[in-house]
Amino acid sequence: MRRLLTVLAAAVPLAAAVYLPTASAQPQSTNSYAQQCRSVSVKAPVGTKVETVTAAAHAAGTVDVPPVTPLPEQHIGDVPAFCDLTVTLTHPGRGDHAKVRVWLPLNTWNGRLQTLGGQAYAAGDYGAGLAAAVKNGYAAATTDAGVSTYIDTDWALNSTGQVDTTLLKNFASRSEHEAAVVAKEVIDGFYGKPASYAYFNGCSTGGRQGYMEAQRHPDDYDGILANAPAINWDEFEVATLWPQVVMNNEKTYPTDCEFAAFTNAAVKICDSLDGVKDGLVDDPQRCGFDPRRLIGTKVDCKGAELTITASDAAVVRKIWDGPRTASGKQLWSGVPVGADLSALAGITPPDADGNVAGAPFPVPAAWVTQWVAKDPSLDLSKITYSRFTRLFQQSEAEYDKVIGTDDPDLSAFRNSGGKLLTWHGRADQYIPTQGTVQYRRQVERELGGAQRVDDFYRLFLAPGTPHCGLNQGHGTTDDLGALTAWVEHGKAPKTLPATLINADGRQVTRNLCRYPSISHYTGQGDAHAGSSFRCVFPSRH
């Protein structure tokens, strides 16, 4: 649970709009916008019915976001006065109730819409992301898609034990489009004019939502910021259960300390692939470190001395390699070299006899038990390699067209003038970076090559960066600023300037390179300064 809280807290945006945050100051009642807030009418998007519309005006102050498992409460200060409008939609005959929330700055609107995506199994933002957007002048929107929280998946199966296809469709694609329609209408009615530009902003589940919008609703947004995207959902969600399957079948459960020893050794060996030792592995795919090199190594773990075994090395080798069939066919990419192995290969604390067991990460565990096996009581520790392959293939067959989010035909989004910007951490411990790279390659094949795709879709890979890490303690970058400059002024980002945190915990600067180029040391200058590096194609350094 601690790991899940950490990754959710690191994501931008945070998650879904169900609860009503309150401002610490009293609501304004005399401002003309506040009066308008109570009278905005909403037309139902096609296929929906508006159940309720509620509105409240909030004075400038602190927004208090209530705790939502597993996250604690949050308090966002210095938020300007805004109107909080919530529209509840239903699809007649389906019994769902999806909320769309729109926060409208009363006096500080910059003329733009920013819609916030979700995280894990939450479809949208609970208030922290909305408040941040309003502080920056945006009218902000989000949706809960009629589902619940980050890890509460009770909505997956209906009373007969079958998948609730209405809620899954909402979560997968439908509600995000309806949120865009509602938000634009509310903005037009509230301000008396439409938003000049509409942006989507999400990471992880939010990143997947952004890609789905580009694929299925290309006219919804002018610009989409979709980071560490959970695309290929039907494949990678099962694949990220692989570390648990490996440990259970090999009956070997390395500790966090032992996993860290393998990661640190690999980073140390592969660090200089970019031309200099700087504490960052720029291209983990080129790192050929063999974990068997650590067999016999002593590891200090909280005062206890552990010895790396051949079994430990075999587990790490399989996790890095990724899931394969019995015949050796690779099903999906493994955890990137340099990423935290213990995130997906978690274990329980030792029992009275010193025994441990696997502790699956809740997101893939829920996907496999609820949606794929349709059996919440399924004992994941008993899954064999062959059963894993069948579950992987079943997930592909049943859900690729529903939530795969991997359609490479972005021609309609390109033709609409939309821009898609993505960064993905090279050390993403939850969503293998290669899935995003693979999708980008598919788009290039579909639309005629890298140069044509770069005209509207650019991907940047961030060395040493964990899941949704930038701007949340693992470095920073002005990704939204780069996107708005591209959309509004035609300034396509050649690089994405960023600060990163290297293996020594030191902050360094880098200009993230546009895929497929990578960063390489020029041969002179400070190894911790971005000015000492240039972007080159992998074969040219």
Side-chain angles (χ1 to χ4, degrees):
M1 183 64 71
R2 177 175 56 83
R3 290 194 185 95
L4 180 60
L5 192 154
T6 300
V7 71
L8 292 176
V12 179
L14 293 175
V18 176
Y19 302 106
L20 179 66
T22 58
S24 58
Q26 292 297 312
Q28 293 181 353
S29 59
T30 58
N31 185 285
S32 61
Y33 280 149
Q35 297 296 327
Q36 203 172 351
C37 176
R38 286 186 281 271
S39 61
V40 170
S41 61
V42 179
K43 180 181 178 182
V46 175
T48 73
K49 176 184 177 181
V50 175
E51 291 188 310
T52 61
V53 179
T54 62
H58 292 274
T62 298
V63 169
D64 301 317
V65 183
V68 183
T69 304
L71 291 183
E73 64 182 0
Q74 299 180 72
H75 306 281
I76 315 300
D78 301 320
V79 180
F82 65 93
C83 169
D84 177 353
L85 189 144
T86 301
V87 180
T88 303
L89 303 174
T90 187
H91 298 89
R94 300 296 181 180
D96 60 332
H97 310 281
K99 291 181 174 64
V100 178
R101 183 169 230 171
V102 188
W103 286 13
L104 303 144
L106 297 182
N107 303 297
T108 57
W109 186 41
N110 63 18
R112 303 178 180 96
L113 162 66
Q114 182 183 159
T115 299
L116 288 306
Q119 188 76 10
Y121 289 107
D125 181 77
Y126 280 104
L130 292 167
V134 168
K135 286 178 69 170
N136 287 314
Y138 289 87
T142 199
T143 179
D144 70 358
V147 299
S148 48
T149 66
Y150 305 102
I151 55 174
D152 180 357
T153 57
D154 286 346
W155 57 272
L157 304 177
N158 60 26
S159 58
T160 64
Q162 300 300 308
V163 170
D164 190 320
T165 56
T166 294
L167 293 181
L168 180 58
K169 184 175 181 180
N170 283 358
F171 176 70
S173 60
R174 179 166 55 188
S175 288
E176 205 57 65
H177 168 61
E178 292 166 355
V181 173
V182 168
K184 289 179 180 180
E185 183 182 353
V186 166
I187 287 171
D188 197 355
F190 184 75
Y191 295 111
K193 60 180 179 180
S196 300
Y197 298 96
Y199 295 94
F200 182 88
N201 183 3
C203 191
S204 194
T205 286
R208 185 198 63 76
Q209 292 166 320
Y211 273 73
M212 185 67 89
E213 279 291 286
Q215 292 166 17
R216 296 194 182 178
H217 304 286
D219 298 320
D220 280 355
Y221 294 100
D222 302 293
I224 294 175
L225 181 61
N227 301 321
I231 54 176
N232 310 294
W233 179 284
D234 55 302
E235 296 161 311
F236 98 83
E237 279 299 358
V238 183
T240 47
L241 193 64
W242 175 250
Q244 294 289 321
V245 174
V246 170
M247 293 192 301
N248 290 329
N249 279 270
E250 302 302 321
K251 296 180 171 43
T252 299
Y253 302 89
T255 63
D256 290 3
C257 302
E258 289 165 308
F259 277 135
F262 284 104
T263 297
N264 294 338
V267 170
K268 184 176 181 180
I269 293 296
C270 299
D271 184 354
S272 60
L273 290 174
D274 61 0
V276 67
K277 286 189 174 296
D278 57 356
L280 295 170
V281 177
D282 274 81
D283 189 0
Q285 290 297 107
R286 297 172 57 235
C287 181
F289 175 75
D290 188 339
R292 290 175 294 188
R293 294 176 61 175
L294 287 194
I295 295 173
T297 300
K298 305 295 183 182
V299 176
D300 177 65
C301 189
K302 303 172 185 176
E305 186 178 76
L306 305 175
T307 303
I308 300 293
T309 67
S311 295
D312 294 329
V315 165
V316 170
R317 195 177 188 188
K318 283 179 176 289
I319 293 174
W320 276 343
D321 183 53
R324 291 183 181 272
T325 65
S327 64
K329 177 185 177 183
Q330 187 172 45
L331 295 171
W332 202 249
S333 301
V335 175
V337 174
D340 178 9
L341 288 165
S342 65
L344 295 177
I347 58 175
T348 63
D351 62 17
D353 298 321
N355 299 314
V356 299
F361 188 58
V363 181
W367 180 254
V368 171
T369 57
Q370 302 268 62
W371 281 274
V372 185
K374 303 170 186 66
D375 178 9
S377 66
L378 176 67
D379 187 348
L380 296 175
S381 70
K382 299 295 193 295
I383 294 177
T384 62
Y385 287 130
S386 59
R387 176 77 189 278
F388 176 86
T389 296
R390 293 195 299 273
L391 289 167
F392 185 93
Q393 293 168 340
Q394 180 186 347
S395 183
E396 281 186 297
E398 293 185 11
Y399 298 108
D400 181 62
K401 300 302 181 185
V402 179
I403 198 172
T405 323
D406 55 3
D407 181 357
D409 186 0
L410 296 180
S411 57
F413 182 71
R414 175 197 61 198
N415 295 341
S416 74
K419 308 299 181 189
L420 173 59
L421 179 65
T422 292
W423 57 255
H424 199 151
R426 288 281 201 181
D428 194 317
Q429 69 276 43
Y430 293 106
I431 300 179
T433 316
Q434 283 304 111
T436 302
V437 170
Q438 174 184 297
Y439 175 78
R440 162 70 197 215
R441 290 171 178 168
Q442 291 171 333
V443 175
E444 291 176 7
R445 289 194 293 270
E446 179 76 21
L447 299 184
Q451 186 171 352
R452 291 186 179 183
V453 174
D454 275 348
D455 288 342
F456 72 94
Y457 168 25
R458 297 197 173 188
L459 169 63
F460 299 86
L461 302 179
T465 301
H467 187 60
C468 292
L470 295 183
N471 299 325
Q472 296 294 323
H474 297 282
T476 60
T477 186
D478 186 12
D479 45 9
L480 186 57
L483 179 61
T484 56
W486 192 9
V487 169
E488 299 176 22
H489 305 291
K491 297 180 179 179
K494 296 180 180 179
T495 60
L496 197 61
T499 61
L500 304 176
I501 307 300
N502 70 9
D504 300 322
R506 177 172 178 174
Q507 188 176 86
V508 302
T509 62
R510 284 290 181 277
N511 293 317
L512 303 185
C513 297
R514 186 170 85 243
Y515 176 82
S517 59
I518 60 175
S519 183
H520 196 74
Y521 186 57
T522 61
Q524 56 185 357
D526 184 356
H528 299 103
S531 58
S532 302
F533 292 77
R534 61 190 176 96
C535 294
V536 300
F537 288 102
S539 60
R540 296 181 182 177
H541 57 82

